Amino acid sequence: MYIKKENYLNYLMISIFIFFLFFKLYNSLTAGLMYDEPETLYNAEQFYQGKLPFVDYFEHHPIVSYILLAPFSDISVWEYQRVLMAILSIISAIVLYIFLSNIFDKKISILCSISFLVSPLLNRMSIMIIPDSFMIFFFIIGLHFYGRIL
C-alpha cells in the first residue's frame, strides 16, 4: 500500500489517538475507585435525587461536574462514568490539536496534543471521576473558542 509522504503525520496522529483511546478505556475499566471518586459519585447521586449542594449537603467542589454526572449517577456502574471521562480526555486532545493547528504548524500541534495524551498526571486524572477532568475539558474548549474569536 502506497502512502503519500504528506499523509504520514495524519496517519500517525490517528493511530496514536486510537491507541490512547483503547489505553484509557482499558485503564478506566480495570482500576478501582480512587480517593475523590466515591465523593463525586455520591454528590452526583444526591443532586440527581433533587437535593441541592450547599443547602441540603455540604460540598467543596464546583457543582458543574455533578450536574453533568447526574444522569449517570448510579454508583454500582461507576465504570460508565470512567469511560465518559476517558472519552472527554480524547476529545480534549483533538480540540487541543485543532486549536494549536490554527496558531502553529501541523507538526508542533501534533507534538503538543500527543504530549497532552502521554502526560502521566493527565493520564491518571483522565480516567478518574473528579471535577478536574471536566475543568480540563472545558478549559481546552474555551481556549478553542477564544482562539476562533481572535
Side-chain angles (χ1 to χ4, degrees), residues 106-121:
K106 202 175 207 176
K107 291 179 184 177
I108 292 176
S109 52
I110 287 174
L111 181 67
C112 290
S113 61
I114 288 173
S115 65
F116 175 80
L117 287 174
V118 176
S119 169
L121 177 64

Side-chain angles (χ1 to χ4, degrees), residues 57-115:
Y57 62 94
F58 174 74
E59 183 46 47
H60 61 281
H61 290 296
I63 62 169
V64 174
S65 58
Y66 308 133
I67 294 169
L68 296 174
L69 283 174
F72 314 102
S73 65
D74 187 10
I75 200 163
S76 62
V77 287
W78 52 268
E79 292 91 357
Y80 296 130
Q81 290 94 335
R82 281 220 173 143
V83 168
L84 174 69
M85 297 298 152
I87 291 172
L88 282 178
S89 173
I90 295 294
I91 293 172
S92 298
I94 292 170
V95 171
L96 184 66
Y97 166 74
I98 293 169
F99 169 69
L100 291 175
S101 65
N102 293 330
I103 300 171
F104 304 110
D105 65 339
K106 202 175 207 176
K107 291 179 184 177
I108 292 176
S109 52
I110 287 174
L111 181 67
C112 290
S113 61
I114 288 173
S115 65

Side-chain angles (χ1 to χ4, degrees), residues 15-48:
S15 62
I16 287 174
F17 281 127
I18 290 172
F19 170 75
F20 273 100
L21 176 65
F22 286 118
F23 177 74
K24 287 175 186 275
L25 289 177
Y26 175 76
N27 282 342
S28 67
L29 296 174
T30 56
L33 283 175
M34 291 174 243
Y35 54 95
D36 268 352
E37 291 181 298
E39 173 194 359
T40 304
L41 291 172
Y42 178 75
N43 290 334
E45 187 175 350
Q46 294 294 314
F47 187 81
Y48 185 69

